[in-house]
Amino acid sequence: MAFLTDHTTKQAYLGKAAHDLVRLTSDQVADIYDRRQIIIPVELSSTLHSLSLKSGSSLTEIASTLGLPHQLVAQRVRKLISLGLLERRPDATDGRRFELHLTDYGHDQADRLRVCMRDMSRVYEGLYEEIGCDLPAILGAAMKAIRDHSLVDRFESRGLL
């Protein structure tokens, strides 16, 4: 990150900074998962958590809940099935639909994940205090602002496009 030394360059590479933060935290959370015998890849955590809250969900329901594309959720579900954490069952009322259910091992992993997320929340609260901001709130506000007024709009309003 040596080239990100001047203020203008640092400001322009917001996406890189966000990506670097995601990569750094994901790598460190993976180590925590390993120490806590949580076998799921970090990026699948929200999918497993969602299914632990609503057994019998379909791919479409999970995608909607998580705000993710259907294809990405399908890939995640296939991985969770291959790890022995989920099983697909035909829907009794709709032959075109499959329900996803946690296996016994999936329930064990979801329980471990739930405890880890509780502890992670406490650790992150300390981090937010240390850096002097509620990072999720700031990220949420930034995403809302960009959704409400896109970067293209912001360029155009400054006569830069």
Side-chain angles (χ1 to χ4, degrees), residues 14-16 21 25 45 47 69 71 81 88 93 95 100 111 115 125 129 131 150 152 161:
L14 172 63
K16 181 182 181 334
L21 178 63
T25 57
S45 301
T47 306
Q71 183 177 1
I81 289 170
R88 288 177 58 192
T93 60
L100 298 163
D111 290 344
V115 170
E125 286 173 7
E129 186 176 313
I131 64 174
S150 75
V152 169
L161 285 181

XYZ file of all heavy atoms in Angstrom, residues 14-16 21 25 45 47 69 71 81 88 93 95 100 111 115 125 129 131 150 152 161:
165
model
N -11.122 4.432 -2.150
C -12.035 3.976 -1.106
C -12.360 2.492 -1.268
O -12.345 1.735 -0.301
C -13.324 4.805 -1.136
C -14.456 4.328 -0.231
C -14.029 4.406 1.227
C -15.705 5.143 -0.474
N -12.644 2.073 -2.498
C -12.980 0.670 -2.749
C -11.856 -0.268 -2.359
O -12.090 -1.338 -1.796
N -10.629 0.119 -2.656
C -9.485 -0.716 -2.289
C -9.365 -0.808 -0.769
O -9.128 -1.886 -0.228
C -8.187 -0.191 -2.884
C -6.994 -1.083 -2.529
C -5.698 -0.573 -3.054
C -4.502 -1.438 -2.733
N -4.537 -2.277 -1.564
N -9.905 -4.112 4.027
C -10.483 -4.362 5.348
C -11.231 -5.693 5.360
O -11.089 -6.485 6.299
C -11.415 -3.216 5.759
C -12.122 -3.397 7.103
C -11.111 -3.467 8.246
C -13.112 -2.265 7.325
N -10.033 -8.759 7.765
C -10.922 -9.310 8.791
C -11.300 -10.755 8.463
O -11.351 -11.595 9.363
C -12.178 -8.447 9.004
O -12.872 -8.312 7.771
C -11.818 -7.088 9.572
N -20.759 -17.754 6.207
C -21.332 -17.600 7.546
C -22.767 -17.099 7.518
O -23.636 -17.647 8.195
C -20.483 -16.628 8.379
O -19.179 -17.077 8.501
N -24.982 -17.257 5.229
C -25.900 -18.237 4.637
C -26.269 -19.299 5.660
O -27.456 -19.614 5.832
C -25.265 -18.873 3.386
O -24.852 -17.836 2.491
C -26.250 -19.786 2.678
N -27.417 -12.313 -5.019
C -27.933 -12.951 -6.239
C -28.208 -14.441 -6.013
O -27.460 -15.119 -5.293
C -26.802 -12.765 -7.258
C -25.935 -11.684 -6.725
C -26.092 -11.723 -5.224
N -27.755 -16.967 -7.946
C -26.662 -17.832 -8.376
C -25.577 -17.939 -7.294
O -25.042 -19.018 -7.049
C -26.063 -17.328 -9.680
C -24.975 -18.233 -10.217
C -24.433 -17.753 -11.554
O -24.841 -16.738 -12.081
N -23.496 -18.504 -12.099
N -23.732 -28.042 1.431
C -24.174 -29.436 1.269
C -22.952 -30.349 1.202
O -22.911 -31.395 1.856
C -25.074 -29.589 0.026
C -26.438 -28.917 0.281
C -25.262 -31.069 -0.332
C -27.323 -28.802 -0.948
N -30.960 -31.018 0.993
C -32.100 -30.535 0.205
C -33.217 -31.568 0.309
O -32.977 -32.757 0.195
C -31.716 -30.395 -1.262
C -30.806 -29.268 -1.554
C -30.422 -29.230 -3.015
N -31.621 -29.124 -3.839
C -31.633 -29.294 -5.144
N -30.540 -29.594 -5.790
N -32.757 -29.167 -5.829
N -45.526 -29.465 -0.837
C -46.658 -28.803 -1.500
C -46.331 -28.271 -2.890
O -47.227 -27.931 -3.636
C -47.172 -27.634 -0.637
O -46.118 -26.689 -0.461
C -47.656 -28.128 0.717
N -43.757 -29.347 -6.031
C -42.759 -30.257 -6.570
C -41.591 -29.577 -7.259
O -40.557 -30.202 -7.489
N -34.297 -26.335 2.197
C -32.958 -26.581 2.731
C -33.052 -26.709 4.242
O -33.667 -25.869 4.905
C -32.026 -25.439 2.330
C -31.856 -25.313 0.822
C -31.296 -23.955 0.455
C -30.965 -26.421 0.302
N -24.620 -23.598 15.872
C -24.520 -23.234 17.289
C -23.150 -22.635 17.598
O -23.046 -21.618 18.298
C -24.769 -24.449 18.184
C -26.215 -24.922 18.172
O -27.096 -24.148 17.731
O -26.448 -26.085 18.593
N -22.398 -18.600 18.814
C -21.583 -18.214 19.968
C -20.425 -17.335 19.507
O -20.116 -16.304 20.118
C -21.067 -19.462 20.730
C -20.029 -19.083 21.769
C -22.234 -20.203 21.374
N -17.181 -4.273 19.227
C -17.563 -3.086 20.007
C -16.331 -2.405 20.587
O -16.218 -1.182 20.577
C -18.551 -3.456 21.113
C -19.946 -3.736 20.616
C -20.872 -4.260 21.700
O -20.478 -4.288 22.897
O -22.001 -4.644 21.360
N -14.879 1.356 19.641
C -14.539 2.334 20.681
C -13.101 2.824 20.470
O -12.818 4.019 20.555
C -14.702 1.710 22.063
C -14.507 2.690 23.190
C -14.780 2.043 24.546
O -15.812 1.364 24.684
O -13.941 2.244 25.445
N -11.359 2.976 17.683
C -11.192 3.841 16.504
C -12.132 5.044 16.517
O -12.063 5.897 15.638
C -11.336 3.053 15.180
C -12.744 2.477 15.015
C -10.268 1.973 15.093
C -13.003 1.822 13.670
N -25.825 8.346 -6.824
C -24.728 7.508 -7.318
C -23.438 8.299 -7.539
O -23.447 9.538 -7.622
C -25.130 6.833 -8.627
O -25.104 7.777 -9.688
N -21.799 8.319 -10.275
C -21.950 8.979 -11.579
C -22.665 10.314 -11.396
O -22.228 11.345 -11.935
C -22.715 8.069 -12.579
C -23.105 8.832 -13.836
C -21.879 6.844 -12.931
N -18.006 14.835 -15.587
C -18.340 13.898 -16.675
C -19.041 14.652 -17.792
O -19.792 15.551 -17.598
C -19.253 12.759 -16.197
C -18.626 11.679 -15.362
C -19.661 10.616 -14.999
C -17.477 10.981 -16.104
